[in-house]
Each structure stands twice: as structure tokens, then as C-alpha cells.
Amino acid sequence: VDSWTLLFWRGLLAGSTLTTFLLVVYRQQLMVMLRAAGRLGLLSATVAAIGGIFFISSLRLTTAANTLVILAATPLIAALASRIFLGERVPRRTWIAICTAFSGILILFSGSIGQQSLLGDLLAICAACCWAGNLVIVRQARPLNMVPANALGNLMVPPLALLFGAQPLAVPAADFGYLLLLGVLVLPISYALITLAPRLLPAPEVSLTLLLETVLGPFWVWLVLAEEPAKATIAGGILILATLALHTISSMRRADPVHP
């Protein structure tokens, strides 16, 4: 299906499933939570929705490997944005990681210059900036529960997709099965698990585990669709992933209590 039709069903199914789950868990408190989130909740929903549009558009214009490698830099972009907008101190090791990761992104871009995939890479950067911005908004809004804003962000996409020419009823039956799998199972469950994980593990450990997406995503796409990453993508990806892994491990060690 075309990108806008995919975005329509992705947003509608994921948003509806998340909203149903929230209604079952919180019931009448859901509207109270949305009102408590206020402008920050609306801003979070809007930024997340725009980021999702950039993400899907990027996947259609470049390889899955390029998109996921660039998105892996989201935590470092968030650290930079936190320094700019929240005035939070950024450790020296994070500045080094940011510079190194962006060097990896430049290597990746070098393999796309003069090709159609360059636009897809740029859209992936836009998606990463949106999602990093959303992380900063959620941090600013703590201790409010921003999961309802996530559901709202998904539900914002379908009307916009219709405005840009989505044709929801033109989806073949076989493709609709994949859309159901994506919107009713994969996305809501992943959102729920990512929200629950930081309650059971330190944030750096969660970030380190999430790096598996950048490795497994392109591998599964290659396995099923035979889409091979370019050499520049592999080189840039190794640099970015190694940087993120070392930075996360360093953060975990510094967070450990000091024993006599």
C-alpha cells in the first residue's frame, strides 16, 4: 500500500488498541490524566505523530538499515536537546559519543549522495529529531503519565493521512492481515514493554537492549526481503552502535554504587 494508507491504518489500529487498553486499566481516570498532561501532552502527541510520519516515509525511500541506524542516534540527540532546552548538564563522555555518532551518520550519508535514498536518510534524521524531542518533552512533564499522549499521537495521524490521499478501503486482504498484526499486536505490545522496562531495569540497560533493534531489523528485512545494506551503511552503523554501546556501558558503571 502507499505510505499514507499505511500511516492511516498504523495510527488507527495502534491508537485504538492503546486507548482500549488504557480505558480498561484506568477507566474514568483516563480523561483526568489527559487533562493533567495539558499542553505538554498535546505537544508530545503532535511531535510523536510527526515523527511516525517521517519514519514510515523514510522506510519507503531508503533501506531499513539506513533508517534504523540513523534512529539509533535518538538518545544522543535527546541528550543534546536536553542541554539546549532544559539546561541539563551533558557529561564529557556524552559529548564525545554525540560527535562520534554523527561522524557515523555522515559516513552513512556518503553512500547515499546522488541517489534517491538520500531523501529517505534525511527523513530518518527528521524522525530521530522528533522522537528525541518527545523524550525531552516527556522528561519535562515528569512525573505525569504520558502514555495517553502516545495513544493520542497515533490517533492524530489517520485524519491527516486522509487529507493527503490515503485510501483505507483499497488495501488488499493479504496486506490488511499484516496491518492487523502490526497495529493490534506488534506496536501496542512494544509500546507497553518499553514503558514497563525502565521500572525493572536501569535506563542505560534498557537503552543498550534497544540497540538490538538496529541490528535485528535490517537482518530480518534481509532474511525476508533480500534487502542488503550498503557498505557505507555497515561502516557507519558499526561506528554508531559501538559508540552507543560503549557510552551506555560507561553510564551503567558510573551508576553502580561504590562499595568500600
Side-chain angles (χ1 to χ4, degrees), residues 102-124:
F102 276 102
S103 298
I105 291 175
L106 288 176
I107 293 173
L108 187 152
F109 270 104
S110 69
S112 300
I113 294 175
Q115 301 180 26
Q116 184 184 10
S117 60
L118 180 61
L119 177 58
D121 294 346
L122 291 171
L123 289 172

Side-chain angles (χ1 to χ4, degrees), residues 19-32:
T19 302
T20 302
F21 172 78
L22 291 169
L23 283 170
V24 170
V25 174
Y26 297 106
R27 300 186 182 183
Q28 293 89 348
Q29 291 299 311
L30 180 56
M31 291 305 299
V32 176

Side-chain angles (χ1 to χ4, degrees), residues 74-92 94-95 98 132-133 135-137 139-140:
T74 296
L76 297 178
I77 298 173
L80 184 60
S82 294
R83 178 69 182 91
I84 296 171
F85 295 104
L86 302 183
E88 293 186 339
R89 179 179 171 273
V90 178
R92 182 181 298 176
T94 303
W95 283 116
I98 289 170
L135 290 175
V136 175
I137 294 167
R139 183 163 178 80
Q140 175 69 17

Side-chain angles (χ1 to χ4, degrees), residues 26-216:
Y26 297 106
R27 300 186 182 183
Q28 293 89 348
Q29 291 299 311
L30 180 56
M31 291 305 299
V32 176
M33 292 164 63
L34 278 171
R35 284 195 292 269
R39 293 181 179 178
L40 284 177
L42 184 60
L43 181 61
S44 173
T46 303
V47 171
I50 295 171
I53 292 172
F54 283 139
F55 170 64
I56 293 298
S57 301
S58 172
L59 282 176
R60 291 305 178 91
L61 295 173
T62 190
T63 63
N66 281 31
T67 298
L68 291 175
V69 165
I70 292 171
L71 287 175
T74 296
L76 297 178
I77 298 173
L80 184 60
S82 294
R83 178 69 182 91
I84 296 171
F85 295 104
L86 302 183
E88 293 186 339
R89 179 179 171 273
V90 178
R92 182 181 298 176
R93 67 180 183 279
T94 303
W95 283 116
I96 295 172
I98 289 170
C99 294
T100 307
F102 276 102
S103 298
I105 291 175
L106 288 176
I107 293 173
L108 187 152
F109 270 104
S110 69
S112 300
I113 294 175
Q115 301 180 26
Q116 184 184 10
S117 60
L118 180 61
L119 177 58
D121 294 346
L122 291 171
L123 289 172
I125 282 281
C126 292
C129 289
C130 285
W131 288 345
N134 191 38
L135 290 175
V136 175
I137 294 167
V138 170
R139 183 163 178 80
Q140 175 69 17
R142 65 186 189 278
L144 296 174
N145 187 337
M146 299 294 277
V147 176
N150 193 304
L152 178 61
N154 277 285
L155 293 174
M156 282 181 171
V157 175
L160 189 63
L162 288 174
L163 186 65
F164 281 91
Q167 298 183 18
L169 300 182
V171 179
D175 286 347
F176 194 74
Y178 289 119
L179 288 172
L180 284 173
L181 184 64
L182 175 71
V184 177
L185 289 178
V186 175
L187 291 178
I189 290 175
S190 64
Y191 289 149
L193 293 177
I194 290 170
T195 303
L196 291 172
R199 297 184 180 182
L200 304 172
L201 291 172
E205 285 191 40
V206 176
S207 299
L208 186 60
T209 305
L210 287 175
L211 290 181
L212 286 173
E213 179 186 22
T214 310
V215 178
L216 293 177

